[in-house]
Every structure is written in C-alpha cells, then in structure tokens.
Amino acid sequence: MQSLQDRAEVALLSNIPSEHADAFLAAQPWLRNLDHVAFSGKIKAAKPDPGAFHHCVAALRAEPADFLFIDDREENVHAAQAIGMNAHLFIKLHQLTAAIDTWLPPRAA
C-alpha cells in the first residue's frame, strides 16, 4: 500500500494564528515531511478566504484543478471549489480514503 506522499505532493493549510504556529510546528515534527505547510497567521489569509487557497497554489507551483482539498468544514470546501480546486468534505475516514483513491490513482512502480 502506497502512502499519500508516495502518490502526490501533500500540503497542510491550517487556520492557526501566528502566535501558535511555531509552537505547533515544533510539537508536530511530522509536518516538516510535508511538501508545504501554511498557517493562516503566517500567510495573512485564513480559510475560507480565497487568498489562503491561492497561497498554496502558488507555493506548489500548480493550478487549482491540480489540488484535492480536504476539510471538515463545508464552507471551506465550497470556497476551495469556487477557485477551481477539487474538494472533499471530511466526515468519515473510509469515505476519505475512497475519495482520494478515486481522485488520485496509485502511481506506477
């Protein structure tokens, strides 16, 4: 079974204020393994503001349609879709896994 990072670039977009961002990053060293981490307090835009999504698009040098945005808040999912991202409302893990597998086929070995 391939990990998500074996299949695609992975970014985190979180609405963490700047005063908590560094402490969160230090407490969660796994975040350094991601291709991009964006904290709203650091990038001066929070979901569902389109600027937050555009930050990630620019940082990963991609197009909105290249993204599968996953969030547990419906307004954030709709905002991502409004700028052209594919988006999935996270409710249950098995639904998320199916959505990822549908959108992102496994890479060839």
Side-chain angles (χ1 to χ4, degrees), residues 13-16 39-41 43-53 76:
L13 173 58
S14 177
N15 282 354
I16 292 179
F39 296 128
S40 60
I43 66 170
K44 309 297 184 216
K47 300 173 290 184
D49 180 331
F53 302 105
N76 295 339

Side-chain angles (χ1 to χ4, degrees), residues 3-15:
S3 76
L4 184 56
Q5 285 185 286
D6 290 336
R7 297 166 66 185
E9 290 182 280
V10 179
L12 173 74
L13 173 58
S14 177
N15 282 354

Side-chain angles (χ1 to χ4, degrees), residues 53-76:
F53 302 105
H54 287 296
H55 167 86
C56 290
V57 169
L60 291 172
R61 297 183 183 110
E63 296 296 325
D66 297 331
F67 285 79
L68 174 60
F69 174 77
I70 300 162
D71 202 279
D72 63 345
R73 296 186 62 167
E74 194 169 344
E75 62 269 26
N76 295 339

